[in-house]
Amino acid sequence: MRPCSTTTTLGSFDCDGVLWRGDHVIDGVVEVLNILRNRGKKLVFVTNNATKSRKSYKKKFDQVGLDVHVDEIYGSAYAAAVYISSVINLPRDKKVYVIGQAGLEEELHDEGIAFIGGTDPNDNTLAPFDLQNFTLDPSVAAVVCGLDTQVNYTKLSKAFQYLTRNPGCLFIATNEDSTFPSAHGLLPGAGSISAPLRFALGRDPVCTGKPASTMLDCVKAKVNFDPKRTIMVGDRLNTDILFGRNGGLATLLVMTGITTEGDITEPNASPIVPNFITESIGDFRAVEKVQSTA
Amino acid sequence: MRPCSTTTTLGSFDCDGVLWRGDHVIDGVVEVLNILRNRGKKLVFVTNNATKSRKSYKKKFDQVGLDVHVDEIYGSAYAAAVYISSVINLPRDKKVYVIGQAGLEEELHDEGIAFIGGTDPNDNTLAPFDLQNFTLDPSVAAVVCGLDTQVNYTKLSKAFQYLTRNPGCLFIATNEDSTFPSAHGLLPGAGSISAPLRFALGRDPVCTGKPASTMLDCVKAKVNFDPKRTIMVGDRLNTDILFGRNGGLATLLVMTGITTEGDITEPNASPIVPNFITESIGDFRAVEKVQSTA
């Protein structure tokens, strides 16, 4: 084991399936997060949920009894907003067309980015869309697409116009999750919402959520940490673990979420292999007990 | 030239961009179709339009002044219905979940296929979809997806449930057109409507429209013709011309639709090459004049 040092080390955690399941915190998580904080570890919570802003997402932590600060939460909507404001430096006279919900709009607003679409009632309609009644806004320089359960042909058609008719218009997706774990089962995820545009355009968006390293760039912009002293903890191989590997972090897979033992032991198992596997983050309570009685 | 014979030869025509543009018949088309009929050629009209039944689509022919019979029209919605009724022989106690419009429903009905979804007002809504309020119908054995400008998260979520929870549920798309030429410009096409399900499922549908040979199987089921004495006339390389080539037909590209001279002469031109190219079907009037004055 490497000796402890005073350098800040980072624990980066996925949330759903790692910290909680549905509305219930996973056994032992409260104690383990406290143990880590008491040892001076910096913690960040990284979620691909793009329907909630970080402020809204904090309420979920409160609800399950986890005490975290908004600044410790990194969502894919926030990452999209930071990417637009600080990576591509969208000029102030340009705006974004949104396919997404209020959380995405809130993050864009907080980063000072002008936008149209999103929750605008004019775009949340099943009325027929006719190009004859559409006026192209030449100041739209990007389309941002997140999970949007109000997605419809008007939004897709407008986004398609901007992406094909406004020169250089950027195509950004908060994340590529194919499915979304609702309280009562899987539903189509954010990747499915941007899929019609991918197909119509024949090109892929820039993604700001896990496993893309854009999300880690966003964390790096706010926290000074050493990737070599950082571990990513998650329940999904193709988002969390791949995200950690893409960023040069150590990775820990927990079995409290979507991945089953079969997924990692079967002959056709994913080629994405974590550095460590444990049943649950709660297991680390045992380490504290061993060390305190040693 | 091969001498004329009494065997029926077939001309297979795409419609939009070949016979008409918008609401206007292309110059000379009426005469050329008459010339072909007078010479005993069998004609069929093959369209990927899946929002209209053949009966409805005939009105478009009437409107531009082309005299055709409903049985000469083959649409991708009809091809999907024939595929379900006659190729996979869906048992009579099974049904189909539809993402699509009235034309697709009409073709399914005419082939005796039971269906749910489609234009049902309960599914044409932007109200939140909650799995808790959804009852899986175990008799749904296929999802059929066509162009649907009322597409929404409820339809996509229901289709996703059938495709993941009903064992062996088939995934069928009327066609894969990425875009759709509306009167005032391009909009996302039928392929964009099935794209969320492709992405969420990680698998592709069976497609019944051009360029898939399923469409030609549908024509074959109704018309006895020799592919070697058949020509496919179209304006799109990746649907019409590829369809002809896939089916072993001769192919003729016309320049009255979407393909430009640049598309076929530029260094990165499509690898799909037609046997013949002409400016317009109307050009064939000249052949008749030459032959009648010879």
Side-chain angles (χ1 to χ4, degrees), chain A residues 123-132 147-154 156-157 160-161 165 176-180 182 184-193 195-201, chain B residues 123-132 147-154 156-157 160-161 165 176-180 182 184-193 195-201:
Chain A
D123 288 9
N124 287 269
T125 175
L126 289 179
F129 177 78
D130 191 335
L131 269 178
Q132 201 169 11
L147 183 62
D148 185 346
T149 58
Q150 301 276 299
V151 68
N152 60 66
Y153 200 69
T154 290
L156 294 172
S157 296
F160 182 72
Q161 300 311 308
R165 293 165 60 188
E176 300 190 275
D177 294 35
S178 58
T179 58
F180 148 73
S182 81
H184 299 280
L186 289 182
L187 293 173
S192 304
I193 304 302
L197 293 171
R198 285 172 192 256
F199 195 90
L201 297 164
Chain B
D123 288 8
N124 287 271
T125 174
L126 289 179
F129 177 78
D130 190 335
L131 268 179
Q132 202 168 11
L147 183 62
D148 185 347
T149 59
Q150 301 275 300
V151 67
N152 60 67
Y153 200 70
T154 290
L156 293 172
S157 297
F160 182 72
Q161 300 311 308
R165 293 165 58 188
E176 301 191 275
D177 293 34
S178 58
T179 57
F180 148 73
S182 81
H184 299 281
L186 289 181
L187 291 174
S192 303
I193 303 301
L197 293 171
R198 284 171 192 255
F199 195 90
L201 298 164

Side-chain angles (χ1 to χ4, degrees), chain A residues 32-94:
Chain A
V32 170
L33 295 187
N34 281 336
I35 291 168
L36 293 171
R37 287 192 198 279
N38 289 339
R39 291 186 173 203
K41 311 299 182 196
K42 173 82 183 161
L43 308 181
V44 298
F45 304 95
V46 182
T47 173
N48 271 359
N49 186 321
T51 61
K52 290 191 172 72
S53 66
R54 289 168 303 150
K55 287 175 198 162
S56 299
Y57 207 60
K58 182 179 178 331
K59 291 178 193 157
K60 176 74 185 185
F61 283 85
D62 296 343
Q63 185 193 335
V64 299
L66 290 175
D67 185 24
V68 306
H69 193 274
V70 166
D71 289 343
E72 293 176 315
I73 303 171
Y74 292 80
S76 62
Y78 177 60
V82 170
Y83 177 77
I84 293 166
S85 68
S86 308
V87 178
I88 61 172
N89 296 303
L90 192 80
R92 289 283 149 162
D93 60 339
K94 296 292 185 187

